[in-house]
Amino acid sequence: MDFLKDLWDFMRERKKWWLMPIIVVLLLIGVLLVIGGGSAVAPFIYTLF
């Protein structure tokens, strides 16, 4: 959790708000791959990439 706090402090202090959408998209892709990796939906998720 320290990493997330440091990242948030960095974005707030240096006004790097353009990083927020990139981080959110990467997190969503990661969650999608983790959840879909072991389920029956996996073949459909892998066709997206």
Side-chain angles (χ1 to χ4, degrees):
M1 295 307 284
D2 287 336
F3 174 73
L4 294 176
K5 183 181 179 302
D6 289 341
L7 184 64
W8 176 256
D9 290 340
F10 171 77
M11 288 190 311
R12 190 177 46 145
E13 185 174 319
R14 305 233 192 260
K15 307 289 191 251
K16 302 285 186 184
W17 298 115
W18 56 270
L19 287 173
M20 186 61 73
I22 297 170
I23 293 170
V24 168
V25 167
L26 288 174
L27 285 174
L28 288 175
I29 289 172
V31 167
L32 185 66
L33 288 175
V34 167
I35 290 175
S39 68
V41 185
F44 301 108
I45 292 175
Y46 290 131
T47 59
L48 296 174
F49 303 105

